Amino acid sequence: MKGLIRQILREQVDYSNFCLPIKRWSGTVNAGQKFGARRGSNPHRGIDLANDSGSNLYAPEDGTIKYAKFFTPWDNSLCPGCSRKDKIKANKDNGYNACGGYIQIKHTNNIVTKYCHLKQIDVSPGDPVVRGQVIGKTGGDSAANSPSGVDDKGRGNSSHSHLHYEVLVNGSWVNPDPDFVRNGECDGTVVVSTTLTGCTVGDCENGVGTYVWADGDKYVGDWVDGTLHGKGTFFYASGNKYVGDFVDGTGTGEGTFTVPGVYVYTGDHIGYYFTGKGTMVYADGGVYIGEWLEDDRHGQGKMTHADGTIEEGPWEEDVFVGISGQQDPTPDDPFTNKDREYNMSIQKDLQLRRFIAKGYTIEGIMDEETIEAIQTLQRAASLPTTGIFDKKTSIALSSNRYFGNK
């Protein structure tokens, strides 16, 4: 189902939209922790995010676990009396790797993410993971820095707890740091403190920053002249979330609005209203793709219900109205030959149900298949199936007329 929804929404995974895989990060990276920082002869291929040992590690986007393992810890007893270079080789031959506890996730669009210095791993190679899923716990404390006085399992070459995080696109390392403040934490949790409100991280005037309101709402993203403007995420205290474009303080443009357990809408917005073209995926599996006006399905659209039935065509104020120009049936406006082209579409059954449910007379030039469908529905509704036929077998559309009674 997840794959189907992705196809419907035409989602394209982009590492710049990945969420922050840990919580309560300070929002800063010092010189030695930055992407590309020189460490001897090798550049730093990821970024180091300081946090407490034992913190949850979250998948920043959907994917499949490619590697999940603990490398062998460093052993000083190997190759006694050897040079540093030979000791490193001896440890590597013994299964040592500076990463320690290690996870690698393969995402779509040839994107791979890597995680090092983990003290706990909760996934196995081949496991599918979804955005926000806990996949392990961070670590990295040496015995000297650990409250327990024992090295964190999987600390690798780390002495202080942190997450080493790498992103590769098409096999090349990229710097994910600029996107973290904008995208926010993976689980979308809003942490509110009476002493931590207002602009808590970054620049909330002209830049990228996080603002927390006292009522629990939280915005993470671009600011212009102290106003939400650009790309960002708005977390509501209720649990709802909007991710997308902002103009002068409101969600305007293209974005995704999520009401957990109810629906996910992706498409055009004007002032947070669903207006324009968009896709709604409902919790029961139903999907609507088409035009909207102020939160109502309005215009041309296709609604695929959870039971597989489809309503495709024009909508008005969230109501499917059938073929263009057709109004709700009335006793003075029965189902007639005018609707012939509509009869054989997938909506035939739905439209006939509307007439029969209201007890209206059905008349028109119809083929035998349509007549049989009418009678089947009449029987299901415990209505009489009497009627007048020109012929028992339909030869041409114009040769068989059926007058059905209430």
Side-chain angles (χ1 to χ4, degrees), residues 310 312 320 323 339-351 369-370:
I310 295 174
E312 184 172 8
F320 180 65
I323 60 174
D339 305 306
R340 181 58 237 156
E341 63 179 275
Y342 182 66
N343 287 357
M344 300 310 297
S345 74
I346 197 166
Q347 279 77 35
K348 174 180 67 178
D349 181 74
L350 296 170
Q351 186 70 352
E369 179 185 351
T370 302

Side-chain angles (χ1 to χ4, degrees), residues 284-287 303-309:
D284 66 358
V287 178
M303 179 71 209
T304 303
H305 294 276
D307 63 2
T309 59

Side-chain angles (χ1 to χ4, degrees), residues 29-48:
V29 178
N30 67 38
Q33 297 171 326
K34 289 185 176 180
F35 178 83
R38 301 304 297 187
R39 296 186 173 183
S41 60
N42 298 317
H44 192 212
R45 290 174 169 172
I47 62 173
D48 291 341

